[in-house]
Amino acid sequence: MGCGNSKVLPEASKKGYVSVVQSLVAFSKAQGDDESKKHAKKKRAPWFSTSAKNLQPASNGQQQILREGRQQDRVAKYKDKFDPRVMARYNIKALIGRGSFSRVVRVEHRATRQPFAIKMMEVEAPEGREVCATELAVLQRVSHSHVIQLMEVFQFPQRVYMVLELATGGELLDRVVSRGHFTERDATQALRMVLAGVAYLHNLGITHRDLKPENLLYYHPGADSRLLVTDFGLATFGGAGSEVVNGDNSGADSWSLRTTCGTPEYMAPEVLLRRPYSCAVDMWALGVIAYIVLSGSMPFEDDSRTRLYRSIVRGKYSFHGDPWPSVSNLAKDFIHRLLPLDPAARLTADQALHHPWVASMAASSSMKNLHRSISQNLRQRASRSSSRCPSSNESSADSTNVGLGKLILLEGNQEQQQGRASGRLPARGASTPAN
Ligand SMILES: Nc1ncnc2c1ncn2[C@@H]1O[C@H](COP(=O)(O)OP(=O)(O)OP(=O)(O)O)[C@@H](O)[C@H]1O
């Protein structure tokens, strides 16, 4: 997330809108000093700061020991927080990370010794309950090799524990940086997997609404790992009519979504313009992701959120600077077809999978190594970002910096009802132990 990692309000919220964002900010503040300091630590620049981890010099042995000590302390703390009924089945091994309402830990199933991730969500406050219900409703319906799999759920009044398959291969951009060699072919391999997952979701009528590199995790560190779409906290049912499934996303049935939400840099123009939108917003985000994966830079970016939004709604981006001269026209065409302002003109996920650049795995492109330019751009971004984040305690109310996390603004409760109605469907491969 961004410097502040806060859920932030857009400039003008209209009367009648229910701002979940304010509650979210209040909620995080209510966690107390200790919590907010730790939270601020997790708060990071959008996609590039995770990659920046790989760019840091190696720490010495002492630092390593300190880190391990801290990790053990944290694990002990999370063990205290975990419900004994969950602990009876799973042994907590390490803390993986934190979200706005969640902590994710690596666990081992006591009987089978199989590793999993458990996402523990606080559901006492309505905001956490909302996000959790959304995520659970989606996860209970999906089963696909490129979508994170829910294995089991424990639901209690204060907390929900989602047992998920454990992704140990790191985030998409971390891998791009760490592999040392990256070509268009590699980019198409990654994008094909994401597109397969997204096509599956869209065909089920699920719009993710927060696609970004941080939410794309490799299942294992090996070169042949699956890439998984994760984090369904902002997903929704709706936005995909039969028109979308048939490859034409212009039908009236598909334009049912209204909530303004997402991560600013990846938000489609129609979302920012508060127009009804469809699952084509995910395709816009995939265009942004394709741009980043090929270049290490962002198509739309500005320190001022207002200017960022303006550049997105104008749809003006360029292929200037390295490594773009080395990138094929077919790859650029792919991006162009995902980033038209008119959502009806955007490729659907199924169409994107058949775009010649993706379908041929960049066969006609040069196999130039783009890694150096990509890493350089990522590194520059990381340093710009850290200079924009003077303090880890930066206020979440900062309204000038971008990369500050997600926007959630609800207009009416139409979508919530849709989501919940769909969420009542029985889980696939998931059990819900009684309280
Ligand atoms: N199944 C999983 N396997 C491995 N790591 C995971 C898994 N699910 C989540 N994570 C990691 O755990 C961390 C916290 O994830 P989580 O989804 O709770 O929050 P987030 O998406 O980072 O933040 P927010 O809730 O504000 O969007 C992230 O670094 C994420 O990559």
Side-chain angles (χ1 to χ4, degrees):
M1 299 295 168
C3 309
N5 188 34
S6 55
K7 315 277 181 180
V8 287
L9 273 168
E11 288 82 358
S13 58
K14 290 184 200 157
K15 197 179 167 211
Y17 280 50
V18 179
S19 168
V20 171
V21 182
Q22 278 167 330
S23 326
L24 294 176
V25 171
F27 177 86
S28 14
K29 280 184 179 157
Q31 302 299 297
D33 278 358
D34 189 40
E35 281 290 288
S36 59
K37 265 183 216 151
K38 275 181 278 141
H39 202 54
K41 251 188 161 180
K42 184 251 170 192
K43 291 165 186 173
R44 46 187 166 82
W47 46 273
F48 39 84
S49 60
T50 52
S51 305
K53 282 184 300 197
N54 292 343
L55 305 170
Q56 301 296 321
S59 54
N60 62 31
Q62 234 176 351
Q63 281 171 327
Q64 181 72 23
I65 291 164
L66 277 173
R67 259 208 309 274
E68 278 165 14
R70 278 200 296 268
Q71 173 76 353
Q72 273 164 12
D73 288 350
R74 269 187 247 146
V75 170
K77 190 169 162 233
Y78 286 110
K79 276 186 178 164
D80 288 346
K81 284 194 173 183
F82 263 60
D83 190 283
R85 286 162 285 190
V86 181
M87 296 283 289
R89 270 165 84 87
Y90 295 95
N91 188 12
I92 301 176
K93 297 303 228 182
L95 174 71
I96 296 176
R98 298 163 51 92
S100 305
F101 300 105
S102 54
R103 287 116 176 98
V104 179
V105 290
R106 179 166 59 81
V107 298
E108 189 180 85
H109 190 275
R110 288 188 188 274
T112 65
R113 297 274 173 148
Q114 252 192 294
F116 293 102
I118 290 188
K119 184 164 181 167
M120 177 180 83
M121 298 194 77
E122 308 282 348
V123 293
E124 257 185 317
E127 301 78 20
R129 208 160 41 236
E130 208 69 71
V131 172
C132 179
T134 303
E135 182 142 26
L136 210 46
V138 172
L139 287 173
Q140 287 179 326
R141 285 197 74 186
V142 296
S143 176
H144 187 270
S145 52
H146 295 298
V147 176
I148 198 86
Q149 182 70 51
L150 178 69
M151 314 306 293
E152 182 172 27
V153 188
F154 297 82
Q155 287 181 279
F156 304 114
Q158 292 183 328
R159 294 190 179 118
V160 170
Y161 301 80
M162 301 179 201
V163 183
L164 301 163
E165 62 181 335
L166 176 69
T168 57
E171 295 174 10
L172 172 62
L173 289 177
D174 286 337
R175 183 163 296 203
V176 173
V177 170
S178 65
R179 52 192 295 161
H181 192 268
F182 194 78
T183 64
E184 286 188 34
R185 188 183 171 81
D186 298 320
T188 59
Q189 259 166 2
L191 289 168
R192 271 160 74 123
M193 293 193 272
V194 184
L195 283 168
V198 172
Y200 167 80
L201 295 169
H202 288 182
N203 287 338
L204 279 183
I206 296 165
T207 304
H208 186 285
R209 301 199 296 190
D210 198 21
L211 288 175
K212 54 184 174 180
E214 299 97 307
N215 289 338
L216 303 173
L217 302 180
Y218 280 98
Y219 182 57
H220 64 70
D224 59 343
S225 170
R226 293 182 284 135
L227 186 53
L228 304 167
V229 177
T230 70
D231 196 354
F232 289 88
L234 291 186
T236 187
F237 293 87
S242 55
E243 296 80 5
V244 176
V245 177
N246 294 331
D248 168 11
N249 58 2
S250 61
D253 287 352
S254 62
W255 304 100
S256 57
L257 306 177
R258 287 187 167 274
T259 304
T260 307
C261 65
T263 300
E265 290 86 345
Y266 302 86
M267 282 166 73
E270 62 270 26
V271 177
L272 295 174
L273 292 167
R274 295 189 180 142
R275 293 186 179 144
Y277 61 87
S278 71
C279 63
V281 299
D282 284 347
M283 301 315 296
W284 175 278
L286 283 170
V288 175
I289 292 169
Y291 188 108
I292 296 166
V293 164
L294 283 169
S295 69
S297 55
M298 304 207 70
F300 308 103
E301 142 172 87
D302 203 296
D303 285 352
S304 145
R305 197 181 303 139
T306 310
R307 285 198 302 266
L308 170 72
Y309 291 169
R310 205 176 289 144
S311 72
I312 293 174
V313 299
R314 283 182 184 151
K316 289 267 177 281
Y317 60 95
S318 77
F319 293 122
H320 290 148
D322 272 342
W324 289 115
S326 307
V327 174
S328 70
N329 285 335
L330 211 47
K332 290 173 188 165
D333 179 76
F334 177 72
I335 292 171
H336 272 316
R337 287 172 191 275
L338 291 172
L339 296 178
L341 285 179
D342 177 5
R346 246 167 255 158
L347 294 178
T348 64
D350 287 324
Q351 288 168 342
L353 276 165
H354 290 103
H355 184 280
W357 182 66
V358 175
S360 73
M361 299 190 70
S364 60
S365 316
S366 89
M367 284 302 120
K368 278 196 187 142
N369 184 8
L370 307 172
H371 182 264
R372 196 190 162 101
S373 305
I374 294 173
S375 302
Q376 204 165 3
N377 288 339
L378 287 168
R379 203 178 297 119
Q380 277 171 5
R381 196 141 313 287
S383 65
R384 275 213 298 277
S385 154
S386 56
S387 67
R388 277 208 305 262
C389 297
S391 136
S392 62
N393 289 327
E394 184 175 19
S395 159
S396 59
D398 186 320
S399 61
T400 53
N401 286 349
V402 294
L404 294 176
K406 295 178 193 177
L407 275 170
I408 304 181
L409 184 72
L410 301 182
E411 184 179 22
N413 60 1
Q414 180 192 356
E415 276 180 54
Q416 305 292 312
Q417 286 160 359
Q418 279 174 3
R420 243 180 292 310
S422 315
R424 280 191 220 110
L425 290 166
R428 193 181 299 166
S431 65
T432 307
N435 282 348

